Amino acid sequence: MIFRIPRKVSLALPDLANLRVVGVSTIAVIITLLGVRHLGGLETLELAAYDQFVRLRPLETEPDPRILVVAITEQDLENQNQWPISDQVLAQVLRRLQAAEPAVIGLDLYRNLPVEPGHQQLVEQLQQPNLIAIQNIDIRAGTPPPPDVSPERIGFNDILLDPDDVVRRNYLFAENESESDVLYSFSLLLALAYLEPRGIELEPSPDNPDIPQLGAAVLSPITENAGGYQKGDVGGFQILLNYRSSYQVARQVSLTDVLAGKVDPSWVEDKIVIIGSTAPSLKDLFATPFSPALEKNAKIPGVLMQAQMVSQFLDAATGKRPLFWFWSEKAEILWIVGWIAIGGILGRVTYHPLALIIGVTGSLGVLSSVCFYLLTQSGWVPFAAPAFGFGLTVAIFVTHRSYEAHQQQQIVMKLLGQNTSPEVAQALWQGRDRLLKSGKLPGIRLTATMFFADIKDFSTISEKMTPEALLEWLNEILGVVTREVLQGQGIVNKFTGDGVMVAFGVPMSRLHRTEVAEDAKAAVDCALAISDRLESMNRDWRRRGLPVIQMRIGIFTGPVVVGSLGGKDRLEYGVIGDSVNIASRLESCEKQRQPTPCRILIGQQTLDHLQGEFEVESWGALALKGKQQTVNVYRVLARTTVSE
């Protein structure tokens, strides 16, 4: 006896339906994710990922030797006992520095108003051609430039902050309040003053005259969706700031050291000298991508931020450190969609939890490695969007597969339930773990009652009917038989054209005598019920002009072995044993003896379990086909009537 177990959900759910679900889910993730990204919903995650990669990448180990920072420290403020520092002191510092012949001096201090004493002395120093002063872009809300400095030697020192107050961008140009003149940034003017004597000037790019080029660097402005930005504020002309180090970007000396003449002239000669405050009490501090990982000096003073920007221009112009580059919006979308597709494939084809964990971890590892490598090559590509899309798609497909597995169980239970009772179907489903683990269900020995039924002279009847009418008529018969079998807790193994093969007592382990007796009685009751239904069906068919039939039923109780048969390509659940063969021979023996429309024959072993609850007629010991020993055969007449 063999019946097939559905092995894959594809047997239960159409492939086209699966493909439709896969396609719709993937498209939904793509549209949703790109929409959220377009609205800036992933920008915070992208910036956090960018910061992490920046912290991990190799940095310059030595301060920039071309830059010297004159820092106004807390000790300097205490020594001077004044803020702002007087014009006299500042003029003295500038004179000492100019004596060492610097390439350029950048004064990162606002000096739009006199701070006596010594204002006239400071005016003389501010008029030196190699001195760059500062102002704010919007002087109506900020600080105007010193009145004694030529406009071409004034740059704005405004620093761009992202929404999380972290500095990641470098300002190059802006328009003043009249919107008629272009302002240069303080850091760019310092870099140009150093590079122009060395033959490197700011000029239009040969490929695009609207974009400036400084030496080897084409200063392409970032767009509102460059890298991880979305809807970013890209007013003016900005590039991404490529940090040289986390803090110590250049050599530093204090204001007091300069005044005391303790600065080595070689540190100043032909260098870019930037004067500014580093005292924490002045609160001129800015967060950087390194800040979350630093306990000390978590924020950079404004003067050191200007030094970072100047160093970037110098390295970019000389080709030492290239500027950041970005993919086009179309390339970024393809990148994101590609990872969503990978997530869909992984979530769809990976079934084992460990394999899924390894696949997800490995894929995210590859994604982060690619993004980090590109950042070390000065390329910023989205990480959070593809990672989130990948993870979301995997989660959706795993959830769908779990739902699909539940649906599969329901469908399998329904399919099994058509051939078995719900209890038997549940037992089969519960045994699926052993099947999936070892590839087969191990053989189990138990005692079952086998049941074979067949229509007498079916070949003669079929000759007189069209195939369509024959099929409809036969389905009507087998439908009645199936319902009676299921009501009796039996399993319909298979239909043999005009017959049916049934088992009572599988696949559960039935070894106790009372359990075996219940199965035997259920099989005989089922046969009597079919006999009763056959009489009513014959009357109905006679009225409809359809053939009337006679049936033979053979029942035998004995030991069998149940388990998986076949290999990986075709796996079936089988019931084998001599008891199966005897039941089949009982159905077909003595075909000429048909005393009633439904003849029910049982063996001695089945009779022993009926406990006198059925009336039987002995047919004696019969030699069944293929059997060397005879079998005591009995015809079941009816259930014994119990008198009250």
Side-chain angles (χ1 to χ4, degrees):
M1 170 186 169
I2 298 173
F3 60 93
R4 193 173 305 158
I5 295 178
R7 297 186 63 205
K8 297 182 179 178
V9 70
S10 58
L11 298 177
L13 299 176
D15 288 340
L16 290 179
N18 280 335
L19 291 176
R20 185 162 54 249
V21 170
V22 170
V24 170
S25 300
T26 303
I27 292 173
V29 171
I30 292 173
I31 294 175
T32 302
L33 185 68
L34 293 181
V36 171
R37 177 175 179 267
H38 178 73
L39 296 175
L42 298 177
E43 184 172 287
T44 301
L45 295 176
E46 291 287 7
L47 294 178
Y50 168 80
D51 291 350
Q52 182 62 42
F53 291 146
V54 168
R55 292 193 292 269
L56 292 175
R57 70 173 183 159
L59 298 174
E60 295 288 341
T61 57
E62 298 294 333
D64 194 324
R66 299 160 295 188
I67 303 173
L68 175 68
V69 174
V70 177
I72 301 175
T73 65
E74 291 287 356
Q75 184 62 49
D76 292 328
L77 295 180
E78 184 177 338
N79 293 341
Q80 296 298 320
N81 195 27
Q82 180 180 2
W83 182 258
I85 294 173
S86 71
D87 290 350
Q88 183 180 37
V89 171
L90 191 55
Q92 184 180 356
V93 169
L94 291 174
R95 278 197 303 272
R96 287 186 175 276
L97 292 173
Q98 292 286 12
E101 299 182 349
V104 60
I105 296 177
L107 185 61
D108 191 23
L109 298 172
Y110 295 116
R111 307 305 289 195
N112 57 305
L113 296 175
V115 182
E116 297 290 357
H119 179 64
Q120 188 58 41
Q121 300 174 40
L122 179 61
V123 169
E124 294 176 2
Q125 294 299 321
L126 293 179
Q127 292 175 348
Q128 295 295 320
N130 67 337
L131 186 137
I132 308 295
I134 61 171
Q135 71 168 73
N136 289 131
I137 295 175
D138 186 358
I139 60 175
R140 293 170 298 182
T143 304
D148 305 305
V149 180
S150 300
E152 66 271 12
R153 292 191 290 110
I154 297 175
F156 63 85
N157 71 335
D158 300 63
I159 294 178
L160 289 166
L161 298 179
D162 281 335
D164 56 357
D165 293 331
V166 175
V167 180
R168 300 184 182 90
R169 290 173 286 164
N170 188 351
Y171 230 153
L172 277 73
F173 309 107
E175 293 180 341
N176 64 8
E177 71 277 6
S178 66
E179 299 186 357
S180 59
D181 297 326
V182 175
L183 297 177
Y184 282 60
S185 72
F186 177 63
S187 58
L188 180 59
L189 284 179
L190 291 175
L192 291 175
Y194 181 84
L195 293 171
E196 286 176 353
R198 292 163 172 78
I200 300 177
E201 297 182 352
L202 193 67
E203 54 189 1
S205 170
D207 297 329
N208 187 346
D210 294 330
I211 296 179
Q213 181 168 340
L214 183 63
V218 177
L219 304 176
S220 299
I222 62 174
T223 60
E224 63 178 4
N225 56 0
Y229 285 114
Q230 290 296 320
K231 301 295 182 183
D233 179 9
V234 292
F237 196 106
Q238 310 169 21
I239 61 174
L240 201 63
L241 178 55
N242 192 354
Y243 283 87
R244 180 184 182 90
S245 66
S246 59
Y247 189 88
Q248 193 67 23
V249 62
R251 176 183 284 122
Q252 295 184 44
V253 297
S254 69
L255 186 75
T256 301
D257 290 338
V258 176
L259 292 172
K262 296 181 179 180
V263 178
D264 188 335
S266 64
W267 295 355
V268 179
E269 184 180 4
D270 203 29
K271 302 295 192 297
I272 300 173
V273 180
I274 309 176
I275 306 172
S277 65
T278 61
S281 62
L282 298 180
K283 298 181 179 179
D284 184 28
L285 301 173
F286 298 89
T288 71
F290 305 96
S291 296
L294 298 176
E295 295 182 2
K296 185 179 179 181
N297 298 327
K299 291 187 176 183
I300 291 183
V303 65
L304 295 186
M305 190 66 73
Q306 297 294 339
Q308 292 275 11
M309 297 174 181
V310 173
S311 180
Q312 178 183 17
F313 288 129
L314 299 181
D315 284 343
T318 57
K320 184 177 181 181
R321 276 191 301 150
L323 299 176
F324 276 99
W325 51 266
F326 315 93
W327 281 343
S328 67
E329 180 68 6
K330 290 182 179 179
E332 290 183 351
I333 290 176
L334 289 176
W335 169 251
I336 295 169
V337 171
W339 279 101
I340 291 175
I342 293 173
I345 294 172
L346 181 65
R348 188 64 194 169
V349 304
T350 309
Y351 288 86
H352 196 283
L354 180 59
L356 183 63
I357 292 174
I358 294 175
V360 170
T361 304
S363 297
L364 292 178
V366 170
L367 172 60
S368 59
S369 297
V370 170
C371 291
F372 176 69
Y373 172 75
L374 292 177
L375 193 73
T376 62
Q377 305 302 310
S378 301
W380 185 19
V381 300
F383 170 79
F388 188 75
F390 170 83
L392 180 61
T393 308
V394 171
I396 288 176
F397 277 80
V398 170
T399 301
H400 172 68
R401 197 169 65 239
S402 299
Y403 169 78
E404 195 176 63
H406 176 72
Q407 292 296 103
Q408 177 189 6
Q409 179 182 2
Q410 298 301 314
I411 293 173
V412 169
M413 294 295 290
K414 182 178 179 181
L415 291 174
L416 289 174
Q418 293 176 355
N419 294 331
T420 71
S421 67
E423 293 80 8
V424 171
Q426 182 65 34
L428 286 173
W429 178 258
Q430 291 175 351
R432 75 189 186 282
D433 291 338
R434 288 179 294 169
L435 177 62
L436 295 175
K437 182 177 181 180
S438 62
K440 63 181 180 179
L441 290 173
I444 300 175
R445 182 181 177 86
L446 49 80
T447 301
T449 298
M450 306 307 301
F451 178 114
F452 283 80
D454 191 68
I455 299 174
K456 183 181 179 182
D457 298 329
F458 178 75
S459 298
T460 302
I461 296 173
S462 62
E463 292 178 354
K464 301 176 182 179
M465 302 179 68
T466 64
E468 295 80 4
L470 179 64
L471 181 62
E472 184 176 354
W473 173 75
L474 187 59
N475 281 335
E476 189 175 346
I477 301 170
L478 297 179
V480 171
V481 173
T482 300
R483 284 192 294 273
E484 296 298 337
V485 169
L486 295 182
Q487 288 182 7
Q489 305 297 304
I491 293 177
V492 176
N493 168 55
K494 64 181 179 180
F495 299 108
T496 57
D498 60 329
V500 64
M501 184 164 47
V502 178
F504 289 84
V506 297
M508 295 81 69
S509 180
R510 309 289 276 180
L511 297 175
H512 197 274
R513 185 172 180 81
T514 56
E515 295 176 330
V516 176
E518 289 175 2
D519 295 332
K521 294 173 186 178
V524 176
D525 276 330
C526 177
L528 290 173
I530 293 174
S531 178
D532 293 339
R533 293 295 303 275
L534 183 60
E535 292 182 6
S536 62
M537 285 190 295
N538 276 334
R539 288 194 297 270
D540 180 57
W541 291 332
R542 188 178 290 109
R543 185 176 63 255
R544 291 157 53 191
L546 295 174
V548 296
I549 64 169
Q550 294 180 326
M551 293 187 68
R552 298 187 301 266
I553 296 176
I555 300 173
F556 190 82
T557 303
V560 296
V561 174
V562 298
S564 298
L565 295 176
K568 294 182 178 179
D569 296 330
R570 181 180 177 87
L571 188 64
E572 297 178 334
Y573 190 85
V575 182
I576 60 175
D578 191 50
S579 301
V580 179
N581 298 328
I582 294 176
S584 175
R585 298 295 183 262
L586 285 172
E587 176 272 315
S588 60
C589 77
E590 300 288 329
K591 291 185 177 181
Q592 73 282 0
R593 298 174 67 178
Q594 187 78 31
T596 59
C598 185
R599 189 193 76 178
I600 305 170
L601 297 184
I602 64 175
Q604 181 69 50
Q605 286 80 350
T606 300
L607 179 64
D608 292 342
H609 292 289
L610 298 184
Q611 301 172 344
E613 296 183 15
F614 297 86
E615 297 179 13
V616 299
E617 172 188 88
S618 176
W619 279 22
L622 300 180
L624 302 181
K625 184 178 179 180
K627 303 295 296 181
Q628 295 181 356
Q629 297 180 350
T630 60
V631 176
N632 291 326
V633 180
Y634 300 86
R635 183 171 74 90
V636 178
L637 304 178
R639 242 193 182 277
T640 302
T641 302
V642 180
S643 59
E644 300 191 9

